[in-house]
Amino acid sequence: MKILMAASEAVPFAKTGGLADAVSALSLALARLGHDVRVVLPRYYCVDRDKLARLEGELGVPVGGGEEWSAVYTADLPGSSGKQAVKAYFIEHEKFFGRDGIYGIPSEPDFLDNPRRFIFFCRAVFQLCRKIGWIPDILHAHDWPAALAPVFLKFWERPLGQNAEFGKTGSVLTIHNLGYQGIYSKDNYYYTGMGWDVFYSAGFEDWDMMNFLKAGLYSADKINTVSPNYARETRMGAYGFRLDGALRYRGDDYTGILNGIDTGLWNPRKDKFIPRPYSAADMSGKAKAKEALQKEFGLPVDPSAPVIGMVTRLTEQKGVGELFGPAYGSAFSICRDMKLQLLLLGTGEAWCENEIKGLSSRLGNFKAKIGYDEKLSHLIEAGSDFFLMPSRYEPCGLNQMYSLAYGTLPIVRNTGGLADTVENFDQETGAGTGFVFDDLTPNAIYNTIGWAVWAWYNRREHIEAMRLRAMERDFSWEKSARKYLEIYESVKP
Ligand code: ADP
Ligand code: GLC
């Protein structure tokens, strides 16, 4: 099959979170199964143009009643080559993408022209296919920035496109996070070039605003999200972010497929970023990683202290209010009351970064690095004993799967993909692969960390057995890629 992935992020080119990992790893897995997979994304400044080749000529992209011009660059997705190479294409447009930041910068977190940037991007997708003479069987869009691609396909390209080249192209839209929908003033709608009838029939309308994701969810042939449990949860009000009705309306066209992890990158047996690789048969490299990690964070090097790691965006979704809320959070009492070491790598909301800096200066056993650091995130996965993810909601979550692969036991809330991937500890039998709690409260986090620390000191044999069990779990992409293929095959444009 010819499959085109349209997305705003893909590793190693542009990344703010798990979306980037998922888009590239799924593409590579599908290519390994013998499919012709290509990826299209904007050329932000973070994508180094010197490493790309420029296609001859330019794209004319019809938007807002006029036309904008774009250059196109290309490169192979690292991790693929030869016949199975995944080609990535980059849409360049100085006015829209020639800046630092993918969706924003700290002083302008959501660029004011984001609606127009991504309308332009979604229209450019079709012009790109025409230019390279390659019409996909499946157009697979990811999250709100690409959600208008299936809308243009259904309401523009299939009925109106020159020679209807896209008449047989099916579409799939994947929700990686319902918390981000792309809701903007409908003043931007003219830029799509479509009529007001489509504003209503495609499902753009949202309390008199324009909702990108909602239009995509109504218009794509099939939709899915990144874990079966999140697909169930989002059909209900509490997790549906006001789109639960739209999701229920899609019935069986809406499913959940668990993400995998890229076992080429996230694998303790061949991780380049840790001092010594390790496996279930020889865990000595894990002890080495713990030592290196404690040194790196300036914590006492002590093998007997349980180390709890976190790598996270500092935003409400991740439960950081319950941990670091200045008056409400439990991080201070956790570190004050328990014999443990807590360490964190993350960036995000300013209040949270400030609170974390303050806390780590007051507590001897809490250290944090504010920033984004790929290499350090690997060392944290390998060197920690436990990994904390108290998410408010979690469509899939990759870090808990990385943790399991590295024999680092996740402490997670019973939600979304966390519930699909982590099995709770049974202190009678020693079964399980992690520690799971239900309510998102500072107390529940306190108590569950307390439980894990108790097990560390009093049920060490269980902890060691859980580690090995966790490392046996298979989260490779191949299984999930096959499920996507089933969806692709069921699409009848
Ligand atoms: P989300 O996409 O909601 O942030 P995921 O768990 O799916 O959550 O994916 C997060 C990804 O981003 C992981 O690959 C994680 O290692 C990475 N990540 C997040 N914050 C940082 C950071 N500060 N430094 C390095 N990697 C980070
Ligand atoms: C989103 C979600 C996360 C998921 C990732 C990749 O960023 O927040 O749970 O793992 O997308 O699908």
Side-chain angles (χ1 to χ4, degrees):
M1 273 192 189
K2 290 191 272 185
I3 303 155
L4 179 62
M5 301 284 176
S8 51
E9 304 182 26
V11 284
F13 303 111
K15 165 166 169 172
T16 69
L19 167 67
D21 300 83
V23 168
S24 294
L26 172 60
S27 304
L28 294 172
L30 288 165
R32 279 194 299 270
L33 293 173
H35 299 278
D36 180 359
V37 188
R38 309 196 184 187
V39 181
V40 53
L41 57 158
R43 209 291 287 188
Y44 316 100
Y45 272 175
C46 64
V47 184
D48 182 359
R49 211 164 46 179
D50 292 343
K51 299 202 174 111
L52 315 174
R54 189 181 164 160
L55 296 190
E56 236 172 75
E58 297 198 320
L59 293 187
V61 182
V63 275
E67 204 166 29
E68 293 278 349
W69 291 88
S70 154
V72 182
Y73 288 80
T74 182
D76 284 353
L77 200 62
S80 72
S81 58
K83 267 193 155 167
Q84 294 183 345
V86 173
K87 284 225 166 315
Y89 296 94
F90 301 86
I91 305 294
E92 178 165 272
H93 189 280
E94 186 58 25
K95 188 175 76 186
F96 287 141
F97 304 123
R99 51 182 101 161
D100 295 322
I102 295 178
Y103 313 110
I105 50 175
S107 51
E108 191 181 337
D110 189 18
F111 289 135
L112 286 169
D113 56 351
N114 271 346
R116 268 173 281 171
R117 294 170 80 222
F118 291 107
I119 289 170
F120 168 77
F121 172 65
C122 291
R123 293 275 356 218
V125 165
F126 299 92
Q127 301 307 80
L128 169 74
C129 295
R130 290 195 170 96
K131 180 175 172 60
I132 60 176
W134 183 89
I135 306 295
D137 300 309
I138 294 291
L139 170 60
H140 188 162
H142 297 265
D143 269 357
W144 79 264
L148 294 198
V151 182
F152 286 129
L153 177 66
K154 178 168 175 185
F155 291 93
W156 189 298
E157 296 294 348
R158 277 186 199 150
L160 305 173
Q162 312 146 12
N163 316 319
E165 302 99 314
F166 293 93
K168 291 207 172 84
T169 300
S171 66
V172 176
L173 174 63
T174 299
I175 305 169
H176 294 263
N177 194 332
L178 214 47
Y180 302 86
Q181 298 179 10
I183 304 174
Y184 295 99
S185 160
K186 66 181 186 193
D187 294 352
N188 295 291
Y189 183 69
Y190 83 96
Y191 210 63
T192 64
M194 296 191 294
W196 285 100
D197 52 332
V198 176
F199 185 75
Y200 296 97
S201 53
F204 277 102
E205 199 277 337
D206 184 2
W207 292 94
D208 214 29
M209 303 282 280
M210 168 181 183
N211 185 324
F212 279 57
L213 187 66
K214 180 166 170 276
L217 293 179
Y218 274 107
S219 306
D221 295 322
K222 296 276 173 175
I223 60 179
N224 81 296
T225 188
V226 287
S227 70
N229 191 38
Y230 192 63
R232 274 189 296 276
E233 287 175 341
T234 47
R235 287 185 163 91
M236 297 180 289
Y239 286 96
F241 282 93
R242 300 183 312 112
L243 293 186
D244 47 300
L247 295 171
R248 285 195 300 275
Y249 169 79
R250 292 300 312 254
D252 293 341
D253 284 343
Y254 177 46
T255 53
I257 299 179
L258 193 70
N259 283 331
I261 64 176
D262 184 333
T263 47
L265 285 176
W266 293 94
N267 185 341
R269 281 177 294 276
K270 48 184 186 194
D271 194 320
K272 293 191 305 279
F273 298 128
I274 62 177
R276 191 200 296 162
Y278 63 92
S279 67
D282 175 9
M283 294 284 278
S284 58
K286 185 160 178 68
K288 267 255 168 276
K290 178 166 174 178
E291 190 186 320
L293 182 62
Q294 288 171 321
K295 279 194 193 135
E296 174 75 33
F297 275 84
L299 286 159
V301 174
D302 177 2
S304 72
V307 171
I308 302 180
M310 291 183 79
V311 180
T312 185
R313 291 184 292 121
L314 301 171
T315 167
E316 200 199 353
Q317 179 197 344
K318 302 295 178 180
V320 293
E322 283 64 21
L323 265 179
F324 302 114
Y328 181 61
S330 56
F332 180 79
S333 45
I334 289 168
C335 293
R336 180 196 56 199
D337 299 349
M338 300 184 208
K339 242 173 86 188
L340 54 72
Q341 296 178 341
L342 180 64
L343 51 86
L344 175 146
L345 167 66
T347 53
E349 288 164 21
W351 74 266
C352 192
E353 294 187 351
N354 290 336
E355 188 59 26
I356 286 170
K357 285 181 201 152
L359 269 182
S360 61
S361 68
R362 279 186 284 146
L363 289 160
N365 57 348
F366 173 50
K367 295 278 178 260
K369 296 203 192 255
I370 301 298
Y372 192 92
D373 188 335
E374 194 78 30
K375 180 167 181 242
L376 189 56
S377 71
H378 284 248
L379 187 63
I380 294 175
E381 288 294 1
S384 303
D385 298 300
F386 301 96
F387 193 92
L388 180 60
M389 274 178 93
S391 303
R392 177 171 299 277
Y393 69 94
E394 196 62 77
C396 177
L398 298 173
N399 276 305
Q400 85 281 8
M401 295 194 275
Y402 300 153
S403 301
L404 292 166
Y406 283 76
T408 300
L409 303 179
I411 301 173
V412 301
R413 187 164 166 255
N414 184 14
T415 188
L418 300 174
D420 282 332
T421 50
V422 181
E423 301 143 57
N424 202 3
F425 175 51
D426 178 334
Q427 67 186 47
E428 301 304 324
T429 63
T433 56
F435 298 81
V436 184
F437 61 95
D438 289 318
D439 300 329
L440 181 58
T441 62
N443 251 339
I445 300 175
Y446 181 101
N447 289 333
T448 310
I449 292 183
W451 187 33
V453 169
W454 170 85
W456 171 265
Y457 287 112
N458 300 289
R459 292 288 182 277
R460 206 36 192 278
E461 66 290 358
H462 288 342
I463 297 282
E464 299 306 331
M466 284 166 86
R467 279 190 169 161
L468 302 182
R469 192 176 300 130
M471 292 171 81
E472 280 167 9
R473 293 289 180 270
D474 174 15
F475 295 114
S476 62
W477 261 105
E478 188 181 322
K479 236 183 341 189
S480 313
R482 289 189 192 280
K483 295 209 171 118
Y484 276 102
L485 283 171
E486 279 171 30
I487 296 192
Y488 298 160
E489 272 152 17
S490 74
V491 170
K492 301 266 176 307

